[in-house]
Amino acid sequence: MKTINIAVDGPSGAGKSTLARRIAARLGYIYVDTGALYRAIAYDMLQHHAETEQEIAERLPQLRISIAYEDGVQHVLVNGTDVSGRIRTPEVSMGASRVSAIPAVRQFLFALQQQLARDHSVVMDGRDIGTVVLPDADVKIFLTASPEKRAMRRFLELEEKQPGVQTYDEVLADVIRRDEQDMTREISPLRQAEDAVLVDTSDADLEQSEQMLLDVCKEKLKL
Ligand code: DC
């Protein structure tokens, strides 16, 4: 049976994960957060002090990355251990941005992402889903918002989980630095696919953004 694939790409803090998860629930598809896969690899590399590109590439064959769902929530496992609760720190965010620029890492995750999309109807969020991983996706959305709005959302999220870890200005500086890293890397840089629909959520709340995305999906899928 042909599965339906929806690709949601965009910079960090644009609301991709929250919105992609909601859209998936509305449509009855599974939600795949590909950033969590890069984060899981970064977490493992930090744990094992693999720092150089060569050290990272050498460790990859020892890793088995898989995902599982509990009440519709994606969990990511490294060699059978659920690391989902440990991959949302600023250190892992930076590490993920760094490891995601390594070709061997991208290649390692490419097959897993394609397999998931072949086996299930998915809403998959990331940076290169519409451009590289699922170039034939049925719907492609490029979700963005201004750096200030994105930084504020990340800041509020962090404050809720770990108050006082970073100031708003530090979060904004990180957002800008990560945008730069993600958009200028040589391999699979973050960019809008030619056939992707641009959705800017700078001035929209969650409900409005969700509706904007659903409208695009319904139109493309003729629902
Ligand atoms: O979406 P996120 O913040 O969890 O992603 C973490 C990092 O992983 C981000 O800096 C870019 C990278 N990434 C990527 O290169 N390609 C993807 N498909 C998803 C994430």
Side-chain angles (χ1 to χ4, degrees), residues 21-58:
R21 191 183 312 118
R22 284 186 172 214
I23 297 295
R26 291 283 287 263
L27 297 172
Y29 302 168
I30 69 164
Y31 163 57
V32 182
D33 169 5
T34 64
L37 307 176
Y38 289 93
R39 285 171 181 271
I41 290 184
Y43 174 76
D44 177 88
M45 297 300 168
L46 285 166
Q47 290 290 98
H48 290 88
H49 309 288
E51 283 165 18
T52 65
E53 184 166 342
Q54 194 186 341
E55 285 166 351
I56 291 169
E58 278 172 9

PDB file of all heavy atoms in Angstrom, residues 21-58:
ATOM      1  N   ARG A  21       3.527  17.131  15.093  1.00  0.00           N
ATOM      2  CA  ARG A  21       2.899  16.120  15.948  1.00  0.00           C
ATOM      3  C   ARG A  21       1.381  16.267  15.919  1.00  0.00           C
ATOM      4  O   ARG A  21       0.638  15.298  15.793  1.00  0.00           O
ATOM      5  CB  ARG A  21       3.419  16.272  17.378  1.00  0.00           C
ATOM      6  CG  ARG A  21       3.037  15.132  18.275  1.00  0.00           C
ATOM      7  CD  ARG A  21       3.499  15.312  19.717  1.00  0.00           C
ATOM      8  NE  ARG A  21       4.881  15.705  19.845  1.00  0.00           N
ATOM      9  CZ  ARG A  21       5.298  16.839  20.386  1.00  0.00           C
ATOM     10  NH1 ARG A  21       4.430  17.731  20.836  1.00  0.00           N
ATOM     11  NH2 ARG A  21       6.582  17.113  20.475  1.00  0.00           N
ATOM     12  N   ARG A  22       0.935  17.517  15.989  1.00  0.00           N
ATOM     13  CA  ARG A  22      -0.518  17.749  15.993  1.00  0.00           C
ATOM     14  C   ARG A  22      -1.164  17.363  14.668  1.00  0.00           C
ATOM     15  O   ARG A  22      -2.240  16.770  14.628  1.00  0.00           O
ATOM     16  CB  ARG A  22      -0.789  19.238  16.249  1.00  0.00           C
ATOM     17  CG  ARG A  22      -0.596  19.625  17.696  1.00  0.00           C
ATOM     18  CD  ARG A  22      -1.019  21.047  17.842  1.00  0.00           C
ATOM     19  NE  ARG A  22      -1.067  21.485  19.219  1.00  0.00           N
ATOM     20  CZ  ARG A  22      -1.937  22.356  19.680  1.00  0.00           C
ATOM     21  NH1 ARG A  22      -2.848  22.889  18.876  1.00  0.00           N
ATOM     22  NH2 ARG A  22      -1.926  22.722  20.927  1.00  0.00           N
ATOM     23  N   ILE A  23      -0.466  17.724  13.578  1.00  0.00           N
ATOM     24  CA  ILE A  23      -1.000  17.405  12.252  1.00  0.00           C
ATOM     25  C   ILE A  23      -1.080  15.892  12.071  1.00  0.00           C
ATOM     26  O   ILE A  23      -2.047  15.363  11.537  1.00  0.00           O
ATOM     27  CB  ILE A  23      -0.070  17.999  11.147  1.00  0.00           C
ATOM     28  CG1 ILE A  23      -0.027  19.522  11.246  1.00  0.00           C
ATOM     29  CG2 ILE A  23      -0.484  17.583   9.747  1.00  0.00           C
ATOM     30  CD1 ILE A  23      -1.330  20.168  10.963  1.00  0.00           C
ATOM     31  N   ALA A  24      -0.018  15.206  12.538  1.00  0.00           N
ATOM     32  CA  ALA A  24       0.003  13.740  12.421  1.00  0.00           C
ATOM     33  C   ALA A  24      -1.185  13.143  13.172  1.00  0.00           C
ATOM     34  O   ALA A  24      -1.871  12.258  12.658  1.00  0.00           O
ATOM     35  CB  ALA A  24       1.320  13.192  12.968  1.00  0.00           C
ATOM     36  N   ALA A  25      -1.454  13.656  14.380  1.00  0.00           N
ATOM     37  CA  ALA A  25      -2.569  13.132  15.173  1.00  0.00           C
ATOM     38  C   ALA A  25      -3.896  13.388  14.445  1.00  0.00           C
ATOM     39  O   ALA A  25      -4.761  12.518  14.387  1.00  0.00           O
ATOM     40  CB  ALA A  25      -2.573  13.771  16.552  1.00  0.00           C
ATOM     41  N   ARG A  26      -4.021  14.581  13.872  1.00  0.00           N
ATOM     42  CA  ARG A  26      -5.273  14.911  13.167  1.00  0.00           C
ATOM     43  C   ARG A  26      -5.499  14.008  11.957  1.00  0.00           C
ATOM     44  O   ARG A  26      -6.620  13.632  11.645  1.00  0.00           O
ATOM     45  CB  ARG A  26      -5.249  16.381  12.697  1.00  0.00           C
ATOM     46  CG  ARG A  26      -5.312  17.385  13.828  1.00  0.00           C
ATOM     47  CD  ARG A  26      -6.720  17.531  14.386  1.00  0.00           C
ATOM     48  NE  ARG A  26      -7.590  18.246  13.505  1.00  0.00           N
ATOM     49  CZ  ARG A  26      -7.873  19.544  13.582  1.00  0.00           C
ATOM     50  NH1 ARG A  26      -7.337  20.252  14.556  1.00  0.00           N
ATOM     51  NH2 ARG A  26      -8.686  20.121  12.738  1.00  0.00           N
ATOM     52  N   LEU A  27      -4.395  13.672  11.262  1.00  0.00           N
ATOM     53  CA  LEU A  27      -4.535  12.897  10.032  1.00  0.00           C
ATOM     54  C   LEU A  27      -4.442  11.386  10.273  1.00  0.00           C
ATOM     55  O   LEU A  27      -4.677  10.587   9.366  1.00  0.00           O
ATOM     56  CB  LEU A  27      -3.465  13.317   9.014  1.00  0.00           C
ATOM     57  CG  LEU A  27      -3.546  14.772   8.519  1.00  0.00           C
ATOM     58  CD1 LEU A  27      -2.324  15.115   7.671  1.00  0.00           C
ATOM     59  CD2 LEU A  27      -4.822  15.002   7.707  1.00  0.00           C
ATOM     60  N   GLY A  28      -4.042  10.992  11.504  1.00  0.00           N
ATOM     61  CA  GLY A  28      -3.891   9.565  11.814  1.00  0.00           C
ATOM     62  C   GLY A  28      -2.601   8.979  11.260  1.00  0.00           C
ATOM     63  O   GLY A  28      -2.514   7.768  11.013  1.00  0.00           O
ATOM     64  N   TYR A  29      -1.582   9.806  11.064  1.00  0.00           N
ATOM     65  CA  TYR A  29      -0.279   9.324  10.587  1.00  0.00           C
ATOM     66  C   TYR A  29       0.677   9.290  11.774  1.00  0.00           C
ATOM     67  O   TYR A  29       0.382   9.820  12.828  1.00  0.00           O
ATOM     68  CB  TYR A  29       0.311  10.282   9.529  1.00  0.00           C
ATOM     69  CG  TYR A  29      -0.539  10.509   8.299  1.00  0.00           C
ATOM     70  CD1 TYR A  29      -0.230  11.530   7.409  1.00  0.00           C
ATOM     71  CD2 TYR A  29      -1.643   9.697   8.021  1.00  0.00           C
ATOM     72  CE1 TYR A  29      -0.995  11.751   6.266  1.00  0.00           C
ATOM     73  CE2 TYR A  29      -2.406   9.914   6.886  1.00  0.00           C
ATOM     74  CZ  TYR A  29      -2.083  10.949   6.016  1.00  0.00           C
ATOM     75  OH  TYR A  29      -2.837  11.160   4.904  1.00  0.00           O
ATOM     76  N   ILE A  30       1.871   8.678  11.579  1.00  0.00           N
ATOM     77  CA  ILE A  30       2.829   8.751  12.675  1.00  0.00           C
ATOM     78  C   ILE A  30       3.734   9.975  12.475  1.00  0.00           C
ATOM     79  O   ILE A  30       3.997  10.415  11.362  1.00  0.00           O
ATOM     80  CB  ILE A  30       3.657   7.463  12.901  1.00  0.00           C
ATOM     81  CG1 ILE A  30       4.630   7.204  11.769  1.00  0.00           C
ATOM     82  CG2 ILE A  30       2.771   6.260  13.160  1.00  0.00           C
ATOM     83  CD1 ILE A  30       5.688   6.183  12.159  1.00  0.00           C
ATOM     84  N   TYR A  31       4.178  10.499  13.597  1.00  0.00           N
ATOM     85  CA  TYR A  31       5.036  11.674  13.587  1.00  0.00           C
ATOM     86  C   TYR A  31       6.485  11.212  13.757  1.00  0.00           C
ATOM     87  O   TYR A  31       6.798  10.477  14.688  1.00  0.00           O
ATOM     88  CB  TYR A  31       4.636  12.605  14.736  1.00  0.00           C
ATOM     89  CG  TYR A  31       5.688  13.630  15.072  1.00  0.00           C
ATOM     90  CD1 TYR A  31       6.150  14.498  14.092  1.00  0.00           C
ATOM     91  CD2 TYR A  31       6.221  13.718  16.351  1.00  0.00           C
ATOM     92  CE1 TYR A  31       7.132  15.426  14.388  1.00  0.00           C
ATOM     93  CE2 TYR A  31       7.195  14.649  16.648  1.00  0.00           C
ATOM     94  CZ  TYR A  31       7.649  15.496  15.659  1.00  0.00           C
ATOM     95  OH  TYR A  31       8.626  16.398  15.947  1.00  0.00           O
ATOM     96  N   VAL A  32       7.352  11.637  12.849  1.00  0.00           N
ATOM     97  CA  VAL A  32       8.776  11.294  12.977  1.00  0.00           C
ATOM     98  C   VAL A  32       9.588  12.576  13.146  1.00  0.00           C
ATOM     99  O   VAL A  32       9.640  13.427  12.253  1.00  0.00           O
ATOM    100  CB  VAL A  32       9.281  10.507  11.740  1.00  0.00           C
ATOM    101  CG1 VAL A  32      10.752  10.136  11.934  1.00  0.00           C
ATOM    102  CG2 VAL A  32       8.449   9.247  11.507  1.00  0.00           C
ATOM    103  N   ASP A  33      10.203  12.684  14.327  1.00  0.00           N
ATOM    104  CA  ASP A  33      11.043  13.840  14.655  1.00  0.00           C
ATOM    105  C   ASP A  33      12.481  13.450  14.324  1.00  0.00           C
ATOM    106  O   ASP A  33      13.133  12.750  15.094  1.00  0.00           O
ATOM    107  CB  ASP A  33      10.866  14.117  16.158  1.00  0.00           C
ATOM    108  CG  ASP A  33      11.871  15.103  16.709  1.00  0.00           C
ATOM    109  OD1 ASP A  33      12.666  15.671  15.931  1.00  0.00           O
ATOM    110  OD2 ASP A  33      11.855  15.310  17.937  1.00  0.00           O
ATOM    111  N   THR A  34      12.969  13.870  13.150  1.00  0.00           N
ATOM    112  CA  THR A  34      14.311  13.418  12.738  1.00  0.00           C
ATOM    113  C   THR A  34      15.413  14.139  13.511  1.00  0.00           C
ATOM    114  O   THR A  34      16.512  13.618  13.650  1.00  0.00           O
ATOM    115  CB  THR A  34      14.545  13.590  11.215  1.00  0.00           C
ATOM    116  OG1 THR A  34      14.515  14.983  10.888  1.00  0.00           O
ATOM    117  CG2 THR A  34      13.515  12.846  10.418  1.00  0.00           C
ATOM    118  N   GLY A  35      15.114  15.331  14.028  1.00  0.00           N
ATOM    119  CA  GLY A  35      16.098  16.039  14.851  1.00  0.00           C
ATOM    120  C   GLY A  35      16.506  15.186  16.044  1.00  0.00           C
ATOM    121  O   GLY A  35      17.668  15.166  16.459  1.00  0.00           O
ATOM    122  N   ALA A  36      15.533  14.433  16.592  1.00  0.00           N
ATOM    123  CA  ALA A  36      15.811  13.583  17.754  1.00  0.00           C
ATOM    124  C   ALA A  36      16.827  12.495  17.403  1.00  0.00           C
ATOM    125  O   ALA A  36      17.588  12.050  18.262  1.00  0.00           O
ATOM    126  CB  ALA A  36      14.514  12.953  18.264  1.00  0.00           C
ATOM    127  N   LEU A  37      16.851  12.077  16.138  1.00  0.00           N
ATOM    128  CA  LEU A  37      17.811  11.052  15.725  1.00  0.00           C
ATOM    129  C   LEU A  37      19.228  11.632  15.742  1.00  0.00           C
ATOM    130  O   LEU A  37      20.171  11.000  16.229  1.00  0.00           O
ATOM    131  CB  LEU A  37      17.466  10.532  14.317  1.00  0.00           C
ATOM    132  CG  LEU A  37      16.025  10.033  14.113  1.00  0.00           C
ATOM    133  CD1 LEU A  37      15.793   9.633  12.658  1.00  0.00           C
ATOM    134  CD2 LEU A  37      15.715   8.864  15.038  1.00  0.00           C
ATOM    135  N   TYR A  38      19.364  12.856  15.206  1.00  0.00           N
ATOM    136  CA  TYR A  38      20.675  13.534  15.236  1.00  0.00           C
ATOM    137  C   TYR A  38      21.085  13.827  16.682  1.00  0.00           C
ATOM    138  O   TYR A  38      22.252  13.708  17.048  1.00  0.00           O
ATOM    139  CB  TYR A  38      20.648  14.821  14.407  1.00  0.00           C
ATOM    140  CG  TYR A  38      20.576  14.532  12.925  1.00  0.00           C
ATOM    141  CD1 TYR A  38      19.353  14.463  12.269  1.00  0.00           C
ATOM    142  CD2 TYR A  38      21.736  14.266  12.199  1.00  0.00           C
ATOM    143  CE1 TYR A  38      19.281  14.155  10.917  1.00  0.00           C
ATOM    144  CE2 TYR A  38      21.676  13.955  10.853  1.00  0.00           C
ATOM    145  CZ  TYR A  38      20.448  13.902  10.207  1.00  0.00           C
ATOM    146  OH  TYR A  38      20.389  13.583   8.887  1.00  0.00           O
ATOM    147  N   ARG A  39      20.105  14.201  17.496  1.00  0.00           N
ATOM    148  CA  ARG A  39      20.391  14.475  18.904  1.00  0.00           C
ATOM    149  C   ARG A  39      20.865  13.209  19.623  1.00  0.00           C
ATOM    150  O   ARG A  39      21.764  13.267  20.462  1.00  0.00           O
ATOM    151  CB  ARG A  39      19.132  15.027  19.598  1.00  0.00           C
ATOM    152  CG  ARG A  39      18.826  16.455  19.234  1.00  0.00           C
ATOM    153  CD  ARG A  39      17.477  16.889  19.760  1.00  0.00           C
ATOM    154  NE  ARG A  39      17.200  18.263  19.369  1.00  0.00           N
ATOM    155  CZ  ARG A  39      17.564  19.328  20.092  1.00  0.00           C
ATOM    156  NH1 ARG A  39      18.160  19.166  21.248  1.00  0.00           N
ATOM    157  NH2 ARG A  39      17.295  20.540  19.655  1.00  0.00           N
ATOM    158  N   ALA A  40      20.226  12.078  19.305  1.00  0.00           N
ATOM    159  CA  ALA A  40      20.607  10.822  19.960  1.00  0.00           C
ATOM    160  C   ALA A  40      22.050  10.472  19.619  1.00  0.00           C
ATOM    161  O   ALA A  40      22.825  10.037  20.484  1.00  0.00           O
ATOM    162  CB  ALA A  40      19.668   9.701  19.518  1.00  0.00           C
ATOM    163  N   ILE A  41      22.429  10.689  18.367  1.00  0.00           N
ATOM    164  CA  ILE A  41      23.813  10.417  17.968  1.00  0.00           C
ATOM    165  C   ILE A  41      24.754  11.381  18.696  1.00  0.00           C
ATOM    166  O   ILE A  41      25.781  10.974  19.243  1.00  0.00           O
ATOM    167  CB  ILE A  41      23.967  10.518  16.436  1.00  0.00           C
ATOM    168  CG1 ILE A  41      23.239   9.332  15.802  1.00  0.00           C
ATOM    169  CG2 ILE A  41      25.450  10.554  16.037  1.00  0.00           C
ATOM    170  CD1 ILE A  41      23.383   9.226  14.309  1.00  0.00           C
ATOM    171  N   ALA A  42      24.377  12.651  18.754  1.00  0.00           N
ATOM    172  CA  ALA A  42      25.225  13.643  19.428  1.00  0.00           C
ATOM    173  C   ALA A  42      25.397  13.278  20.902  1.00  0.00           C
ATOM    174  O   ALA A  42      26.498  13.359  21.451  1.00  0.00           O
ATOM    175  CB  ALA A  42      24.601  15.029  19.300  1.00  0.00           C
ATOM    176  N   TYR A  43      24.305  12.842  21.519  1.00  0.00           N
ATOM    177  CA  TYR A  43      24.350  12.465  22.937  1.00  0.00           C
ATOM    178  C   TYR A  43      25.333  11.314  23.149  1.00  0.00           C
ATOM    179  O   TYR A  43      26.189  11.355  24.033  1.00  0.00           O
ATOM    180  CB  TYR A  43      22.945  12.069  23.418  1.00  0.00           C
ATOM    181  CG  TYR A  43      22.929  11.529  24.817  1.00  0.00           C
ATOM    182  CD1 TYR A  43      23.050  12.385  25.901  1.00  0.00           C
ATOM    183  CD2 TYR A  43      22.845  10.158  25.050  1.00  0.00           C
ATOM    184  CE1 TYR A  43      23.070  11.880  27.198  1.00  0.00           C
ATOM    185  CE2 TYR A  43      22.872   9.650  26.331  1.00  0.00           C
ATOM    186  CZ  TYR A  43      22.984  10.515  27.396  1.00  0.00           C
ATOM    187  OH  TYR A  43      23.021  10.026  28.669  1.00  0.00           O
ATOM    188  N   ASP A  44      25.203  10.315  22.293  1.00  0.00           N
ATOM    189  CA  ASP A  44      26.097   9.158  22.418  1.00  0.00           C
ATOM    190  C   ASP A  44      27.557   9.579  22.220  1.00  0.00           C
ATOM    191  O   ASP A  44      28.443   9.129  22.946  1.00  0.00           O
ATOM    192  CB  ASP A  44      25.717   8.099  21.375  1.00  0.00           C
ATOM    193  CG  ASP A  44      26.664   6.920  21.433  1.00  0.00           C
ATOM    194  OD1 ASP A  44      26.398   5.993  22.219  1.00  0.00           O
ATOM    195  OD2 ASP A  44      27.695   6.944  20.724  1.00  0.00           O
ATOM    196  N   MET A  45      27.796  10.456  21.255  1.00  0.00           N
ATOM    197  CA  MET A  45      29.181  10.874  20.971  1.00  0.00           C
ATOM    198  C   MET A  45      29.742  11.677  22.144  1.00  0.00           C
ATOM    199  O   MET A  45      30.917  11.548  22.481  1.00  0.00           O
ATOM    200  CB  MET A  45      29.239  11.698  19.678  1.00  0.00           C
ATOM    201  CG  MET A  45      28.812  10.922  18.442  1.00  0.00           C
ATOM    202  SD  MET A  45      29.850   9.467  18.124  1.00  0.00           S
ATOM    203  CE  MET A  45      28.875   8.625  16.864  1.00  0.00           C
ATOM    204  N   LEU A  46      28.899  12.497  22.770  1.00  0.00           N
ATOM    205  CA  LEU A  46      29.356  13.256  23.942  1.00  0.00           C
ATOM    206  C   LEU A  46      29.706  12.293  25.077  1.00  0.00           C
ATOM    207  O   LEU A  46      30.727  12.444  25.749  1.00  0.00           O
ATOM    208  CB  LEU A  46      28.267  14.236  24.403  1.00  0.00           C
ATOM    209  CG  LEU A  46      28.072  15.488  23.534  1.00  0.00           C
ATOM    210  CD1 LEU A  46      26.770  16.198  23.882  1.00  0.00           C
ATOM    211  CD2 LEU A  46      29.247  16.457  23.716  1.00  0.00           C
ATOM    212  N   GLN A  47      28.852  11.279  25.259  1.00  0.00           N
ATOM    213  CA  GLN A  47      29.090  10.284  26.317  1.00  0.00           C
ATOM    214  C   GLN A  47      30.411   9.549  26.117  1.00  0.00           C
ATOM    215  O   GLN A  47      31.082   9.193  27.062  1.00  0.00           O
ATOM    216  CB  GLN A  47      27.970   9.221  26.308  1.00  0.00           C
ATOM    217  CG  GLN A  47      26.639   9.697  26.760  1.00  0.00           C
ATOM    218  CD  GLN A  47      26.627   9.981  28.242  1.00  0.00           C
ATOM    219  OE1 GLN A  47      26.777  11.125  28.641  1.00  0.00           O
ATOM    220  NE2 GLN A  47      26.492   8.948  29.047  1.00  0.00           N
ATOM    221  N   HIS A  48      30.727   9.303  24.836  1.00  0.00           N
ATOM    222  CA  HIS A  48      31.919   8.497  24.539  1.00  0.00           C
ATOM    223  C   HIS A  48      33.106   9.350  24.095  1.00  0.00           C
ATOM    224  O   HIS A  48      34.084   8.811  23.575  1.00  0.00           O
ATOM    225  CB  HIS A  48      31.575   7.433  23.489  1.00  0.00           C
ATOM    226  CG  HIS A  48      30.683   6.370  24.040  1.00  0.00           C
ATOM    227  ND1 HIS A  48      29.312   6.483  24.038  1.00  0.00           N
ATOM    228  CD2 HIS A  48      30.961   5.210  24.680  1.00  0.00           C
ATOM    229  CE1 HIS A  48      28.791   5.418  24.628  1.00  0.00           C
ATOM    230  NE2 HIS A  48      29.763   4.635  25.031  1.00  0.00           N
ATOM    231  N   HIS A  49      32.971  10.662  24.281  1.00  0.00           N
ATOM    232  CA  HIS A  49      34.055  11.581  23.937  1.00  0.00           C
ATOM    233  C   HIS A  49      34.562  11.402  22.503  1.00  0.00           C
ATOM    234  O   HIS A  49      35.749  11.533  22.238  1.00  0.00           O
ATOM    235  CB  HIS A  49      35.228  11.455  24.925  1.00  0.00           C
ATOM    236  CG  HIS A  49      34.775  11.553  26.355  1.00  0.00           C
ATOM    237  ND1 HIS A  49      34.352  12.746  26.909  1.00  0.00           N
ATOM    238  CD2 HIS A  49      34.614  10.611  27.321  1.00  0.00           C
ATOM    239  CE1 HIS A  49      33.963  12.529  28.160  1.00  0.00           C
ATOM    240  NE2 HIS A  49      34.099  11.245  28.427  1.00  0.00           N
ATOM    241  N   ALA A  50      33.655  11.083  21.608  1.00  0.00           N
ATOM    242  CA  ALA A  50      34.025  11.027  20.189  1.00  0.00           C
ATOM    243  C   ALA A  50      33.852  12.439  19.648  1.00  0.00           C
ATOM    244  O   ALA A  50      32.736  12.956  19.603  1.00  0.00           O
ATOM    245  CB  ALA A  50      33.129  10.037  19.450  1.00  0.00           C
ATOM    246  N   GLU A  51      34.940  13.079  19.306  1.00  0.00           N
ATOM    247  CA  GLU A  51      34.875  14.505  18.951  1.00  0.00           C
ATOM    248  C   GLU A  51      35.198  14.795  17.498  1.00  0.00           C
ATOM    249  O   GLU A  51      34.523  15.576  16.856  1.00  0.00           O
ATOM    250  CB  GLU A  51      35.815  15.307  19.855  1.00  0.00           C
ATOM    251  CG  GLU A  51      35.202  15.512  21.229  1.00  0.00           C
ATOM    252  CD  GLU A  51      36.200  15.973  22.268  1.00  0.00           C
ATOM    253  OE1 GLU A  51      37.275  16.452  21.887  1.00  0.00           O
ATOM    254  OE2 GLU A  51      35.873  15.832  23.467  1.00  0.00           O
ATOM    255  N   THR A  52      36.246  14.170  16.982  1.00  0.00           N
ATOM    256  CA  THR A  52      36.631  14.481  15.608  1.00  0.00           C
ATOM    257  C   THR A  52      35.712  13.729  14.651  1.00  0.00           C
ATOM    258  O   THR A  52      35.052  12.742  15.029  1.00  0.00           O
ATOM    259  CB  THR A  52      38.078  14.041  15.323  1.00  0.00           C
ATOM    260  OG1 THR A  52      38.133  12.610  15.405  1.00  0.00           O
ATOM    261  CG2 THR A  52      39.063  14.657  16.310  1.00  0.00           C
ATOM    262  N   GLU A  53      35.706  14.185  13.399  1.00  0.00           N
ATOM    263  CA  GLU A  53      34.867  13.534  12.392  1.00  0.00           C
ATOM    264  C   GLU A  53      35.226  12.053  12.288  1.00  0.00           C
ATOM    265  O   GLU A  53      34.349  11.199  12.171  1.00  0.00           O
ATOM    266  CB  GLU A  53      35.044  14.256  11.049  1.00  0.00           C
ATOM    267  CG  GLU A  53      34.136  13.683   9.993  1.00  0.00           C
ATOM    268  CD  GLU A  53      34.023  14.547   8.752  1.00  0.00           C
ATOM    269  OE1 GLU A  53      34.363  15.750   8.808  1.00  0.00           O
ATOM    270  OE2 GLU A  53      33.595  13.996   7.722  1.00  0.00           O
ATOM    271  N   GLN A  54      36.521  11.778  12.361  1.00  0.00           N
ATOM    272  CA  GLN A  54      36.964  10.382  12.246  1.00  0.00           C
ATOM    273  C   GLN A  54      36.493   9.539  13.431  1.00  0.00           C
ATOM    274  O   GLN A  54      35.982   8.423  13.255  1.00  0.00           O
ATOM    275  CB  GLN A  54      38.480  10.328  12.128  1.00  0.00           C
ATOM    276  CG  GLN A  54      38.965   8.954  11.675  1.00  0.00           C
ATOM    277  CD  GLN A  54      40.479   8.860  11.706  1.00  0.00           C
ATOM    278  OE1 GLN A  54      41.186   9.869  11.723  1.00  0.00           O
ATOM    279  NE2 GLN A  54      40.982   7.638  11.715  1.00  0.00           N
ATOM    280  N   GLU A  55      36.606  10.096  14.629  1.00  0.00           N
ATOM    281  CA  GLU A  55      36.166   9.349  15.822  1.00  0.00           C
ATOM    282  C   GLU A  55      34.669   9.078  15.739  1.00  0.00           C
ATOM    283  O   GLU A  55      34.195   7.998  16.097  1.00  0.00           O
ATOM    284  CB  GLU A  55      36.476  10.153  17.092  1.00  0.00           C
ATOM    285  CG  GLU A  55      37.947  10.142  17.478  1.00  0.00           C
ATOM    286  CD  GLU A  55      38.309  11.195  18.529  1.00  0.00           C
ATOM    287  OE1 GLU A  55      37.471  12.074  18.859  1.00  0.00           O
ATOM    288  OE2 GLU A  55      39.444  11.161  19.000  1.00  0.00           O
ATOM    289  N   ILE A  56      33.937  10.077  15.263  1.00  0.00           N
ATOM    290  CA  ILE A  56      32.476   9.925  15.167  1.00  0.00           C
ATOM    291  C   ILE A  56      32.123   8.872  14.123  1.00  0.00           C
ATOM    292  O   ILE A  56      31.322   7.970  14.370  1.00  0.00           O
ATOM    293  CB  ILE A  56      31.825  11.303  14.869  1.00  0.00           C
ATOM    294  CG1 ILE A  56      31.972  12.199  16.105  1.00  0.00           C
ATOM    295  CG2 ILE A  56      30.360  11.152  14.457  1.00  0.00           C
ATOM    296  CD1 ILE A  56      31.625  13.652  15.900  1.00  0.00           C
ATOM    297  N   ALA A  57      32.760   8.960  12.955  1.00  0.00           N
ATOM    298  CA  ALA A  57      32.476   7.994  11.885  1.00  0.00           C
ATOM    299  C   ALA A  57      32.832   6.579  12.330  1.00  0.00           C
ATOM    300  O   ALA A  57      32.126   5.618  11.993  1.00  0.00           O
ATOM    301  CB  ALA A  57      33.246   8.377  10.622  1.00  0.00           C
ATOM    302  N   GLU A  58      33.902   6.439  13.100  1.00  0.00           N
ATOM    303  CA  GLU A  58      34.318   5.104  13.548  1.00  0.00           C
ATOM    304  C   GLU A  58      33.344   4.505  14.560  1.00  0.00           C
ATOM    305  O   GLU A  58      33.212   3.294  14.661  1.00  0.00           O
ATOM    306  CB  GLU A  58      35.727   5.158  14.146  1.00  0.00           C
ATOM    307  CG  GLU A  58      36.778   5.123  13.045  1.00  0.00           C
ATOM    308  CD  GLU A  58      38.188   5.374  13.569  1.00  0.00           C
ATOM    309  OE1 GLU A  58      38.383   5.416  14.804  1.00  0.00           O
ATOM    310  OE2 GLU A  58      39.068   5.536  12.728  1.00  0.00           O
TER     311      GLU A  58
END
